[in-house]
């Protein structure tokens, strides 16, 4: 049974930081590209960041560049999203996802998803 479990969300003031973690089980983690997406109320799911199996390549949505950093630890089957300089517009449920081939920015091309975790930024 595949499980992706996010943690590290919560409430932070604007300008603050949060680090999300996503622990994977039931898959050969090192074979998967891992991604983070987010969905705000009333909006479509949005690509945040992705990292290839080795960590050699990373990809970011335009809003995330320079503020967010994705990383992974294959020994711990965990992917991380460090979010700095958070803004009220970053409020959303954040999801991690696993992909074994495909376009990293397309949510529909991910095979497995976590349940999501809330990030709230107060102004």
């Amino acid at each position: 049974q595949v499980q992706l479990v996010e943690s590290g969300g919560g409430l932070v003031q604007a300008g603050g930081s949060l680090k999300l973690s996503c622990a994977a089980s039931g898959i050969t983690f090192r074979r998967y590209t891992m991604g983070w997406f987010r969905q705000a109320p009333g909006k479509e799911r949005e690509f945040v960041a992705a990292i290839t199996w080795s960590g050699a390549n990373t990809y970011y949505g335009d809003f995330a560049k320079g503020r967010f950093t994705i990383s992974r630890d294959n020994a711990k089957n965990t992917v991380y999203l460090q979010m700095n300089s958070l803004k009220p517009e970053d409020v959303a449920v954040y999801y991690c996802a696993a992909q074994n081939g495909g376009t990293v920015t397309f949510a529909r091309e991910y095979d497995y998803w976590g349940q999501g975790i809330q990030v709230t930024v107060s102004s």
Side-chain angles (χ1 to χ4, degrees):
Q1 181 183 359
V2 178
Q3 282 194 311
L4 301 178
V5 180
E6 299 98 338
S7 61
L11 173 64
V12 65
Q13 287 188 332
S17 299
L18 282 175
K19 187 174 184 178
L20 305 183
S21 300
C22 173
S25 60
I27 59 172
T28 305
F29 183 75
R30 64 183 181 274
R31 294 182 181 174
Y32 283 77
T33 289
M34 299 300 296
W36 288 95
F37 289 78
R38 70 183 188 181
Q39 189 164 19
K43 295 187 177 181
E44 293 187 353
R45 195 163 293 193
E46 178 179 38
F47 171 72
V48 178
I51 186 168
T52 53
W53 66 273
S54 66
N57 295 300
T58 57
Y59 308 86
Y60 295 93
D62 287 343
F63 65 87
K65 293 175 183 176
R67 297 192 299 129
F68 295 2
T69 302
I70 189 170
S71 60
R72 66 189 295 161
D73 185 339
N74 286 346
K76 295 182 178 180
N77 288 0
T78 301
V79 61
Y80 305 96
L81 184 68
Q82 176 68 47
M83 303 186 293
N84 298 328
S85 302
L86 283 162
K87 305 174 182 179
E89 50 262 46
D90 293 318
V91 172
V93 176
Y94 284 70
Y95 298 88
C96 77
Q99 178 195 77
N100 189 6
T103 304
V104 299
T105 58
F106 290 179
R108 64 178 179 270
E109 296 193 10
Y110 281 76
D111 303 301
Y112 303 106
W113 290 84
Q115 80 285 354
I117 193 162
Q118 179 70 45
V119 170
T120 302
V121 183
S122 62
S123 57

